[in-house]
Every structure is written in structure tokens, then in C-alpha cells.
Amino acid sequence: MTPEELSELAVAERQRLDRLAHQINVCTATACHASGSEAIKTRLTAEVRERGISGQCLIRGVGCRGLCTNGPMVSVEPQGVLYQHVTADDAPALLDSLASEPVSHIQAPTDDPFYTRQHRIVLEHAGEIDPEQITEYIAVGGYQALAKALYEMSPADVVDELTTSGLRGRGGAGFPTGLKWRTVAKALSDRKFVICNGDEGDPGAFMDRSVLESDPHRVLEGMAIAAYAVGAHEGFLYVRAEYPLAIKRLTTAIRQARQRNLLGDAILGTPFTFHVEIRLGAGAFVCGEETALIASIEGERGSPRPRPPYPAEVGLWGRPTLINNVETLANIAPIIKNGGAWFAGIGTEKSKGTKVFALTGQVKNTGLIEVPMGISLREIVFDIGGGVPEGRSFKAVQTGGPSGGCIPDELLDSSVDYESLTRLGSIMGSGGMIVMDNTSSMVEVARYFMEFSMTESCGKCIPCRVGTAEMHGILTRFCEKRATERDLALLEQLCDLTRHASLCGLGQSAPNPILSTLRYFKQEYLAALESNQPEEVGAAAEEGRS
């Protein structure tokens, strides 16, 4: 395929879709799938066939629309009608409504702040195209950025465009993407690699899974552009085996891209070659760390390695390796297509673009959202999220997964960007965001996340392996009202030791939930100490003897 043929295919596919009077999109991502969306799609397809309107009405499965709590979701285009809580029994009425008014009892508002306050770049096609049809991705401009890079830009030009964009890694650390690409591009080697890190392991996080399920070609295109920029010809997609739907769609996408000459040898008629393979992770949280992930692909136990040297210089099988996560790579195509300056115009001075979050916990609208950097936590929780349900009050929001921190009500007007969240004692992380109401015990919350870190510690370094276990034990004593003032002092010392002496970022950030709850909710720790006073213990003992 040449760029001209790519454009012709896009036009032909758009014309085919424009000839249809109705396109009914059924969300078949994991959340809606679990709520029965496949049965809805099957029933709609059968009804359309029976009514003899297959030539006018297309029924297709699409990716996630975001508002998972109201699924299964169905949309009708180009009419712009959205439905929620749909069942298979609604199929006849839904088709009847195509010639009349929408079905009122399942119609969802499209002007809700949940949709209008978002800024979708990574998720722009999620819920609108069939992720298993490459032609639909091509129809919305897919692979045009790759063609532009190969025919109009040198590898150095691509790196410069990324640097101009100000994009920072969305996997957690926020390292400048352009700088990382430039480092790999400058490394001298006859063999380099590009790895997509899809080992998403944070509790409550499903950003990467949803992107891979909804728009897999976007990620593949980003990988191909990255490989061209840094001089790599081999790539790996490292995905959790617990994501079977994402793996299935990625496998289909890779096969289709090869068939269309968009992956493999002589891509788009150029000398550029790039081959991609999928590697399945076994579910170890530590394999989200770059060096542990590399070890896992090499067939070794997934445990981190000391740095330096960094993977950009000595990575997979000792060769220079570029590692970016799913969301980072999904940003590449629009940046190349629209220019780095366009992307840099979104967000704050140091945090550019948008961020995808999995909004969960005690909030009305749970699901996947994409917002511009610089938006406030209050806007996310109360405007987009709809606030805390059932008359309860907001207490805290936790960002950054098990390595993040808990932010209290008085700081809800803080900006969501890398620097602001760090100043608050939290982190951006990969995008998990959990809302807690006034019934939550912050000591219990800290213990929950510490139990996760303790269980997922690879055990390679003592500060993390022993420190997390000791901290979990102390937090348990607090929760059981058995803690002493000495425990509180020891807890603070262990946080400092684990943070500064652990080998990798996972151990170094494990104390964050404790540190943030001590910073903002220390009264709950002190209340636990007060409930363990000697006289109470003595009284209890007397009562036990009587």
C-alpha cells in the first residue's frame, strides 16, 4: 500500500458509511460486555436482518464510551442519540425509534458534564469505530501520521516534534518523551527495540485495557512512528494475560496491519521495516517497572535491575530500548498529524496535553475520562463525576494507584498536573483515581494499599520486602486499636527508610499512602492511639477476670 492508496481507502470507507441511514454502535468493551452487550448486538443484528434493512442500518461493536456505571451503552449515528442501561429486550423498540422519537426510558443525556467537560485525544475514536476493522480506523485518518512521518519527516524531525509537544510519559514518572526518544535515537547499535508497556496493575485502573480494546491500531501506529524515529525494527507489546479481549483485538489488529503493509517489511512502500509481537504478562505488579518488564520478555523472573545503565542505552538483550506505556503511544499519531505546538497548547506550562483517568470509588459517574491537564480535582469529582452519592460527603481522593497519596477536601481546587500532585504528596501515576466518602477510614485505606505493595513486592531488596511487611503490621495494630506511640514513630521511620533505600520506584513510592494520610488525616491515627489507653486495657482486663 502506498500513501495514495491509503487515502483512497479512507475515502471509499467513509463513502460506504455515509450511504447508511443509521449506524448503531454497541459498546463491547469489557465493562459493557460483562453487562450483556454481546446479547444486545446479537439481537439487534437479527432484528435488522428480519426487517430487511441491513443495507440501511449497520450494527457494530465499538469500544468504551466511558460511562461504565450506566452500561451497556448504545449510540445511534448520525442522529447522535445515546442510550444507557440497555437490554436485549430493548432491541425492537430501539429499531422502531429510528423512524420516530428516541426510546425515552433508556435515553441518556449527551449534554451531561460527564461528556462536555472532557477533552478527548487518546479516546477520540473510542466508542465510534469498530476496533476489529482496520478500514474504520483508516476512515478516520488512521495511519496518515505514519505516512507523514515516513514521507515528509526525517527521524530527527519526528523526535523534534515530540520534544516541541512537551508530552511526558503517561506511565507514572512523567519523564519527557522527546528526551527519551532522543536518547535511544543517539545510541549506537545494530539492533534496537520499542516496547509498549501494557502491564497495567494498579487497583481500580483500566485505562490501558480500555484503549487497547477500543482503538488498538492507534497504539500500533504510535509504536511504528516511534520505531522509525529511534531506528528500531522490532517491537513488543507487553500485555497482561488477564486482558483477553485486549489481546484478541491486538492480535487481529497486528494481522490486519501486516496484510495492509502498515507493519512488517517495506511499510507503505518505503525501506522502513517494523515487526511487532505480543508478550503476555503473568500478573506481577512489579513487571510494570521497566527493567522488570524487560527481564520478563527475556524469559527471566520479572524483577528490577539497578539503574544506570538505563534501558534507553542498555535494555532488552543489552540493546538500546525505548519503553513507553499505552497512553503515551496513543498520543503520538495526533501529535505528528497536528503538530507538537498544537499539543503543547493544551494543559499547563509543564504538563501538556490531556490525561486519561479511571474514575472509581464513591462517586456517581464511574468510568473512563480524559481531561486536559490543569483541570481541578473538584471539577473531576463533582462536575464530571457527579459528586458523592447517597447523601454522604466527600472525604478524599486518591491518585496514582498504590504508590499515590490521598488528597483531602480542602485541597480539591488544586490543579491536576505532575508538579501540583507531587507537592500535595501524591503522584499522577498511570491514571487511577479513587474517590472516598466520609465513611472511609484513612488508616484502613493506608493499610489496604500497603497490603497490596507488600504482596506485590518482588522481594529482591530488603527495604521493600521487609519494610512493607513491617509497615503493614503496624497499620494492622492501628486498625485493631492495639498500636502505641512507639508504633507511630516507627511507622514514620520505616516510611523514610523504604522510600530512600529501595531498589526501584515501586518500593520507593510504596510509603506514599501512609505519608499522605499522616499528613492530612493524622487525627485518625491519634484517635486509634487514644482508644488504646492503659486504663481501658486495665478495665478490660478487670472485666475479663470478673
Side-chain angles (χ1 to χ4, degrees):
M1 178 179 285
T2 65
E4 292 75 22
E5 291 170 335
L6 182 69
S7 297
E8 290 171 2
L9 180 59
V11 171
E13 180 65 10
R14 285 196 293 271
Q15 290 175 341
R16 182 185 75 85
L17 295 172
D18 287 345
R19 285 194 291 272
L20 295 163
H22 310 286
Q23 298 170 38
I24 300 181
N25 304 320
V26 182
C27 176
T28 55
T30 292
C32 283
H33 179 85
S35 300
S37 64
E38 279 296 337
I40 298 168
K41 180 168 172 277
T42 301
R43 181 74 179 272
L44 283 167
T45 302
E47 287 279 338
V48 165
R49 191 178 301 119
E50 287 180 14
R51 299 181 186 208
I53 56 173
S54 299
Q56 309 162 37
C57 184
L58 172 68
I59 308 296
R60 63 180 164 200
V62 297
C64 181
R65 296 194 62 88
L67 193 52
C68 303
T69 191
N70 287 358
M73 306 291 292
V74 174
S75 67
V76 181
E77 302 295 347
Q79 289 75 14
V81 178
L82 183 63
Y83 293 107
Q84 61 189 5
H85 300 303
V86 182
T87 68
D89 292 339
D90 293 318
L94 201 152
L95 291 176
D96 291 343
S97 75
L98 296 178
S100 58
E101 295 298 313
V103 186
S104 58
H105 76 277
I106 53 174
Q107 186 177 9
T110 54
D111 58 351
D112 189 277
F114 181 86
Y115 298 107
T116 60
R117 299 299 301 277
Q118 293 192 47
H119 188 141
R120 292 162 72 96
I121 295 176
V122 170
L123 303 176
E124 64 176 323
H125 303 311
E128 297 180 359
I129 63 172
D130 186 340
E132 299 192 35
Q133 297 295 329
I134 190 173
T135 51
E136 294 208 9
Y137 180 67
I138 291 173
V140 294
Y143 289 106
Q144 292 289 349
L146 176 61
K148 178 181 178 181
L150 295 181
Y151 276 88
E152 301 176 22
M153 305 171 75
S154 68
D157 291 338
V158 176
V159 175
D160 288 345
E161 205 67 55
L162 260 293
T163 304
T164 300
S165 76
L167 176 66
R168 296 168 65 172
R170 299 301 196 237
F175 191 80
T177 303
L179 179 58
K180 180 182 277 192
W181 285 30
R182 194 178 303 281
T183 303
V184 180
K186 286 183 176 179
L188 299 177
S189 177
D190 60 346
R191 195 179 181 194
K192 299 179 183 179
F193 299 97
V194 170
I195 295 176
C196 173
N197 184 351
D199 192 60
E200 183 176 56
D202 291 6
F206 53 92
M207 301 79 58
D208 292 351
R209 186 199 73 205
S210 187
V211 171
L212 294 173
E213 290 176 351
S214 304
D215 204 358
H217 285 287
R218 172 68 79 88
V219 180
L220 291 176
E221 185 176 8
M223 289 185 71
I225 293 171
Y228 171 71
V230 304
H233 300 292
E234 298 170 77
F236 291 93
L237 269 155
Y238 191 87
V239 188
R240 295 202 146 216
E242 298 99 318
Y243 289 177
L245 183 59
I247 294 165
K248 173 178 175 287
R249 290 181 174 172
L250 276 172
T251 303
T252 300
I254 291 172
R255 186 185 71 249
Q256 293 176 343
R258 286 174 180 159
Q259 291 171 343
R260 298 279 183 177
N261 187 219
L262 296 165
L263 285 178
D265 297 325
I267 293 174
L268 284 167
T270 70
F272 176 58
T273 296
F274 184 56
H275 296 273
V276 178
E277 296 180 27
I278 296 174
R279 289 289 184 273
L280 302 185
F285 180 66
V286 73
C287 284
E289 198 275 340
E290 290 184 347
T291 59
L293 185 153
I294 287 173
S296 179
I297 292 179
E298 291 173 343
E300 304 292 334
R301 177 182 177 187
S303 58
R305 298 166 178 170
R307 299 188 293 181
Y310 293 94
E313 296 173 324
V314 181
L316 188 62
W317 291 301
R319 307 302 177 95
T321 302
L322 175 68
I323 304 180
N324 284 136
N325 90 324
V326 170
E327 185 181 343
T328 306
L329 290 165
N331 270 301
I332 302 305
I335 288 174
I336 297 302
K337 191 175 177 181
N338 301 310
W342 162 79
F343 190 83
I346 304 166
T348 67
E349 181 182 355
K350 294 183 178 178
S351 299
K352 306 297 187 184
T354 61
K355 182 74 190 79
V356 179
F357 288 101
L359 184 61
T360 59
Q362 300 302 319
V363 64
K364 291 179 182 173
N365 300 329
T366 60
L368 203 69
I369 63 171
E370 183 174 2
V371 293
M373 293 283 194
I375 192 173
S376 72
L377 286 165
R378 186 181 301 280
E379 289 173 284
I380 291 179
V381 174
F382 286 94
D383 293 346
I384 297 175
V388 177
E390 300 176 9
R392 295 194 291 268
S393 60
F394 172 87
K395 186 170 188 177
V397 58
Q398 202 265 0
T399 68
S403 304
C406 299
I407 301 168
D409 178 68
E410 59 267 29
L411 296 173
L412 265 182
D413 291 315
S414 302
S415 167
V416 176
D417 59 69
Y418 289 101
E419 287 71 27
S420 297
L421 291 177
T422 300
R423 282 196 296 272
L424 296 177
S426 189
I427 58 174
M428 184 77 73
S430 60
M433 184 174 285
I434 303 173
V435 178
M436 288 162 271
D437 65 21
N438 59 317
T439 65
S440 301
S441 161
M442 302 313 291
V443 180
E444 288 277 8
V445 168
R447 183 173 69 159
Y448 168 77
F449 285 115
M450 188 50 61
E451 181 174 8
F452 180 87
S453 296
M454 174 186 70
T455 305
E456 293 292 339
S457 173
C458 74
K460 184 170 184 175
C461 73
I462 294 174
C464 178
R465 183 178 73 234
V466 179
T468 54
E470 288 296 317
M471 288 188 284
H472 180 262
I474 294 173
L475 290 169
T476 299
R477 291 200 287 277
F478 270 98
C479 292
E480 296 174 352
K481 307 294 191 292
R482 296 186 291 109
T484 64
E485 290 189 3
R486 180 178 176 278
D487 284 325
L488 183 59
L490 181 58
L491 185 63
E492 293 173 328
Q493 292 172 11
L494 284 169
C495 285
D496 184 69
L497 185 148
T498 306
R499 166 179 270 190
H500 292 99
S502 292
L503 174 62
C504 77
L506 301 185
Q508 292 162 9
S509 58
N512 282 346
I514 300 176
L515 291 169
S516 65
T517 50
L518 281 172
R519 181 177 175 181
Y520 299 118
F521 302 95
K522 194 167 186 176
Q523 69 277 11
E524 296 193 21
Y525 288 87
L526 297 177
L529 290 180
E530 290 175 1
S531 64
N532 186 23
Q533 294 301 307
E535 55 268 27
E536 292 187 14
V537 174
E542 286 295 327
E543 185 178 355
R545 283 195 291 271
S546 61

